[in-house]
Every structure is written in C-alpha cells, then in structure tokens.
Amino acid sequence: MQITSFHPPRRTLMGPGPSDVSDRVLEAMSRPTLGHLDPAFIGMMDEVKSLLQYTFQTQNELTFAVSAPGSAGMECCFANLIEPGDRVIVCQNGVFGGRMRENVERCGGTAVMVEDAWGSAVDPDKLEDALKAHPDAVLVAFVHAETSTGAQSDAKTLVQLAHQYDCLTIVDTVTSLAGTPLYVDEWGIDAIYSGSQKCLSAPPGLSPVSFNQRAADKISARTTKVQSWFLDLNLVMGYWGGEGKRAYHHTAPVNSLYGLHEALVMVQEEGLENAWARHRDNHLELRHGLEAMGIEFVVDPQHRLPQLNAIAIPEGVDDAAIRSRLLHEFDLEIGAGLGALAGKVWRIGLMGHASNLKNVEFCVSSLRAVL
Ligand SMILES: *Cc1c(COP(=O)(O)O)cnc(C)c1O
C-alpha cells in the first residue's frame, strides 16, 4: 500500500489540552530550520527566555523551556530538587498530584501525602498539619490548576505556609500559566513548570520551567548526581544559560521553539491581565449557556478554573457516545473524566486561543443538539 501525506481534519479543541493553535503559530513553525547553535537561533532563544519571564512574572535567570512535554518539566523539577532520603509533602486533589508522588519515590525521596477530594482545592490547614507533623520535610509540591477536576488551589497561601516551615516549593502550573493569575516572584514559588499546549496555545512538546535562587542553591549543593542526564539542570544550563558560550547538550526542537516564541509574543501583545480576564469572561458565558440547559458544574464557584470546566454528565446520558458524536458530527473535541471522575464528568477547555465567544456558542449549541 502506498501511504500518502497526512492531512488532519480541522477540529475545535475544547478538551483538557492541546488547545487550538492559531494560524500565526503554525505559520511561524513552518519557517526555515536553523542550526541550533546558529547566532540567529540563539538570539530567538534569548527572546523566548524574556517572554517566559514575563509570562511567569519572574526575574529568575533560570527560566527556559524543557525540550519535552509538561511531564518532563515536572520530572525536571523533582529530579533536580530531590536527593535520596528527602522527605517531600505532596498535596493531591486529582490525577497530577499522584504523578508527583511517583516522581518523589522514583527520585529516592519519601512522599507524605496530603489528600483532598477530587474537585476540591488543596486545604491549607491540612498542609499545615502535615508540615507540623514532619519537621524534617524539605519540599512541598502541589498543582495550582488541577486539569483532571477543574479546581484551582490558593498557590500564594500554600507557598507561604511551606516557607514558614523551611520548605521549598514545586508548583505545577501546566494549565494555569497565561489562563489565570500567577505571580511567581510575588508569591515566592521556588520551582515551577508548565506546558506549551494549554493556555499558551502552542503545539505540545515543550515545558516552560523556572527556578529561583533558593532552588538553584539546593541544586548546586547536591551531594549526589541528578539521576537523569537529560534533565540535569547543571548541564542544560550550559546550553540555555548563554553569555555567548553555548555548549552542545541536545539538539533543541528548533521549529517547535519558533511556535512557542510566536505564542508568547501573542500573550505579550494581548497583555497577561487581559488574557486572564478573557478566560474569566468566556468561562462565565459558557456557564450561562450550560446552566440554561440544566447542566451543573462539579467544582465550587470560588475554586473553579475558567479554562477547564468540569460539568456533570446528565443522568442516563452515554458519555462516550456523546463525545464521539461531537467529534464526528461537529469536529468538536471535549474531554472525558479521569480517575475518580471517569464517566461522571466532561471537561470543557477554554484555553488560550480557544477561549473565545465563538467557541463558547459553538460548544453550547453542539451539546444541545446531541443531547
Ligand atoms: C497536561 C498536564 C500535565 C502534563 O503535561 P503533558 O504535556 O501532557 O506531559 C501536567 N500537569 C497538569 C496539571 C496538566 O494539566
């Protein structure tokens, strides 16, 4: 059989990510590939770094994009900050907290779990109890925006608490970055990772990360080697760190980085505050439309993520059949429930470029048609 070129259908992506990528970003990715040590490319990488510093609201020097998806950014934070024997408090209120635990254990650390119900925010009182009970803990990790449930936790308060008990913090902002307020320096977040394909609306495969001086100091003070050669920040920074002397570490995904650059330029053009407000406004529109159909949200209003709307599947409705009809009849993707919420909820993403009024109307009318 002669296999021919692949031409994907045009879908509207309103699931948990990837979100719709704008033509501007796709066009940027089709520009000529440069050598990854070419001065023109290095100049662009420096711009990616400053655009990421803006998007994260940080001055951290150690800010760059890991050449792999969000899960690799997660692993990069854990692998570099944990040494065997470290005790780490992990707050879990959905799927991604469970992955944090996996990371801690695989790095030779011991995870102390602080559990909250799926769909709830992380409870600061429970974190404080765990910090009191485990004075030897060195790190606290939590997810700012739990994509599996649509709940947002109070990152500022959780980081403050961790610092009160002399712990560093690792914060997952894969879904929150550029979608909901986030101030890395003001909140004192020590290590943070995100993803390119959620509210940044770039294609999947890159993970923005940032580390403050305290985190960098803990990494330099390590007495053991980082278990992952690829993610060892001491080596990666020889490449991203710059000052004109970039050493070969791995071949950067050149055209993907053009895409991220363009997506970040678009965030800067719009302005972060405007992007946050747009995500909030479109969420409210979606809420009006869905509630008018009698559909209920799963998360309490004060903890709801505007970019990830978890809604209860109405009684007697066939979850998979409806999602399949939306995909095939409307070219519309929405997300299924995960883990404890599988079969119980749909997850409607309004992320980045996909967070617009046209998509809100389209999603509500399509759902009405198939229900
Ligand atoms: C999507 C997501 C990840 C993982 O990112 P990938 O790019 O799929 O590896 C991690 N954490 C959260 C909260 C996410 O939403």
Side-chain angles (χ1 to χ4, degrees):
M1 187 183 70
Q2 183 70 37
I3 296 178
T4 57
S5 310
F6 177 62
H7 293 282
R10 240 193 207 279
R11 312 274 204 219
T12 302
L13 300 181
M14 298 182 69
S19 59
D20 283 340
V21 177
S22 69
D23 289 341
R24 246 180 93 170
V25 169
L26 293 176
E27 192 267 327
M29 291 177 70
S30 70
R31 290 173 195 156
T33 303
L34 288 170
H36 69 117
L37 296 171
D38 188 307
F41 180 67
I42 288 172
M44 191 217 62
M45 295 231 321
D46 291 339
E47 291 182 356
V48 169
K49 176 177 168 177
S50 17
L51 289 163
L52 282 177
Q53 286 172 324
Y54 165 68
T55 311
F56 274 130
Q57 293 287 291
T58 183
Q59 303 293 322
N60 290 341
E61 266 309 301
L62 198 42
T63 301
F64 67 101
V66 174
S67 302
S71 305
M74 174 187 273
E75 194 134 354
C76 180
C77 291
F78 285 88
N80 281 278
L81 284 170
I82 295 177
E83 284 201 89
D86 280 351
R87 192 181 291 279
V88 180
I89 298 180
V90 174
C91 306
Q92 178 171 15
N93 59 339
V95 164
F96 293 99
R99 292 197 182 174
M100 288 178 150
R101 173 192 206 147
E102 275 291 322
N103 271 272
V104 171
E105 290 171 353
R106 284 166 196 238
C107 294
T110 307
V112 174
M113 299 305 289
V114 173
E115 313 249 4
D116 278 290
W118 289 48
S120 302
V122 172
D123 180 351
D125 293 336
K126 287 191 192 167
L127 172 60
E128 183 152 31
D129 291 344
L131 285 161
K132 281 183 181 148
H134 300 279
D136 57 338
V138 294
L139 262 173
V140 168
F142 66 89
V143 179
H144 184 211
E146 236 319 335
T147 323
S148 63
T149 68
Q152 168 156 251
S153 292
D154 179 355
K156 184 181 178 185
T157 301
L158 297 174
V159 169
Q160 245 170 19
L161 269 173
H163 289 167
Q164 258 172 336
Y165 291 84
D166 289 326
C167 285
L168 293 185
T169 48
I170 296 178
V171 184
D172 177 323
T173 58
V174 175
T175 283
S176 48
L177 185 66
T180 211
L182 170 65
Y183 300 93
V184 170
D185 285 359
E186 203 181 304
W187 295 352
I189 295 170
D190 300 288
I192 191 163
Y193 59 92
S194 189
S196 50
Q197 78 278 27
K198 307 222 175 165
C199 295
L200 294 177
S201 276
L206 289 170
S207 177
V209 294
S210 186
F211 299 82
N212 69 10
Q213 195 55 47
R214 269 185 305 219
D217 290 346
K218 180 160 180 2
I219 296 168
S220 335
R222 289 180 68 101
T223 57
T224 55
K225 271 191 179 176
V226 174
Q227 54 162 23
S228 162
W229 176 85
F230 185 67
L231 296 172
D232 185 343
L233 282 175
N234 298 298
L235 304 176
V236 173
M237 285 318 290
Y239 185 63
W240 269 90
E243 278 124 49
K245 51 171 178 57
R246 259 168 230 261
Y248 169 65
H249 176 259
H250 65 278
T251 308
V254 173
N255 292 60
S256 295
L257 283 161
Y258 297 168
L260 179 63
H261 181 280
E262 191 67 20
L264 293 169
V265 165
M266 289 172 73
V267 169
Q268 189 188 47
E269 281 174 5
E270 180 176 18
L272 263 183
E273 287 80 4
N274 294 331
W276 297 335
R278 174 170 53 83
H279 281 86
R280 189 199 54 224
D281 293 347
N282 289 322
H283 157 74
L284 292 175
E285 288 296 333
L286 180 73
R287 179 180 157 186
H288 290 319
L290 292 176
E291 285 180 349
M293 288 166 63
I295 290 180
E296 285 171 10
F297 279 67
V298 173
V299 177
D300 281 349
Q302 75 269 26
H303 297 128
R304 260 176 220 166
L305 280 170
Q307 62 273 55
L308 197 286
N309 299 271
I311 54 172
I313 299 175
E315 279 303 316
V317 165
D318 184 337
D319 170 19
I322 292 291
R323 280 185 292 107
S324 167
R325 283 191 64 192
L326 289 175
L327 192 66
H328 294 110
E329 293 170 34
F330 294 88
D331 279 312
L332 171 62
E333 177 181 281
I334 65 167
L338 280 183
L341 297 179
K344 297 182 182 148
V345 306
W346 286 320
R347 292 178 301 150
I348 299 180
L350 282 171
M351 297 183 178
H353 186 65
S355 174
N356 60 63
L357 206 48
K358 190 165 157 246
N359 278 358
V360 169
E361 306 284 343
F362 176 53
C363 180
V364 171
S365 62
S366 306
L367 254 183
R368 189 182 296 119
V370 293
L371 285 173

